[in-house]
Amino acid sequence: MNAITSVVKLHLNRRVVALLVPLFIVAVVVVISILISLLFLRGGSQPGSAVWINASRSNTGMLFSLAGFLVSMGVASAATTFPFALALGATRRAFTLGTLAWNILQAVYLTVVFAVLTLLELATGHWFFGFYIFDINILGAGDLTKLIPIVFLSVLALLSVGGPSAHPGCGSGRAARR
């Protein structure tokens, strides 16, 4: 278990990338979503109308904006942490289990962020102006019983997909061609 926690600690060395960059991406998507909503508002759309709500809830930007980053984070975590873990005496098994634990921690972190922001959006009447950013169809339309597994499993899957593509011996990369 000690080797697994050591691998998790190695992953924690990239705190800014793991904790702040996803928040920055979410903030950029929030700003872009608000700007798009303002364009529609300026064009004559009525906030709160059935058409406005349906169109706003069809926004998939919040989920898909993080997808590429999370896959690349999975690639980078395996590519940069794996050699250090082996150099420090971790086995491949400990590295894999430690990386899985790290991925679960990341998934929990982003699930909590999305749940809190969804609750805040709902409590403020969609940011006081009818802007649907987290209360969207792809994230469960404001239902936390849907949002939590969607975000958790999506983040876990995206991080896990990225890891093996950079992991030596998993069917790709130079090690697999030898």
Side-chain angles (χ1 to χ4, degrees):
M1 191 63 165
N2 189 24
I4 295 169
T5 57
S6 296
V7 171
V8 173
K9 288 178 184 177
L10 279 174
H11 285 293
L12 278 170
N13 283 330
R14 300 180 44 167
R15 284 185 202 106
V16 171
V17 172
L19 303 175
L20 297 181
V21 172
L23 294 180
F24 175 75
I25 292 170
V26 167
V28 168
V29 174
V30 166
V31 169
I32 290 171
S33 295
I34 289 172
L35 289 174
I36 291 170
S37 294
L38 289 173
L39 286 173
F40 284 115
L41 182 64
R42 181 78 173 130
S45 294
Q46 297 298 318
S49 68
V51 173
W52 176 277
I53 292 170
N54 187 39
S56 296
R57 281 193 166 161
S58 298
N59 179 3
T60 58
M62 189 52 67
L63 187 63
F64 292 127
S65 63
L66 285 170
F69 171 74
L70 291 172
V71 170
S72 70
M73 196 164 98
V75 169
S77 70
T80 59
T81 309
F82 183 67
F84 291 116
L86 289 182
L88 295 173
T91 63
R92 287 178 183 257
R93 180 185 180 133
F95 175 77
T96 302
L97 292 173
T99 300
L100 177 61
W102 167 247
N103 290 350
I104 290 170
L105 287 173
Q106 262 316 103
V108 167
Y109 167 68
L110 287 173
T111 301
V112 168
V113 167
F114 272 67
V116 167
L117 291 172
T118 300
L119 288 173
L120 187 60
E121 179 174 311
L122 294 172
T124 59
H126 299 94
W127 309 109
F128 304 107
F129 297 104
F131 298 144
Y132 288 73
I133 299 171
F134 298 95
D135 179 11
I136 55 176
N137 293 333
I138 200 166
L139 294 177
D143 182 357
L144 289 182
T145 62
K146 293 179 182 175
L147 178 128
I148 289 171
I150 289 169
V151 174
F152 178 80
L153 293 173
S154 296
V155 171
L156 186 59
L158 291 166
L159 288 169
S160 298
V161 163
S165 65
H167 195 283
C170 287
S172 65
R174 281 185 278 151
R177 289 191 286 268
R178 289 185 192 159

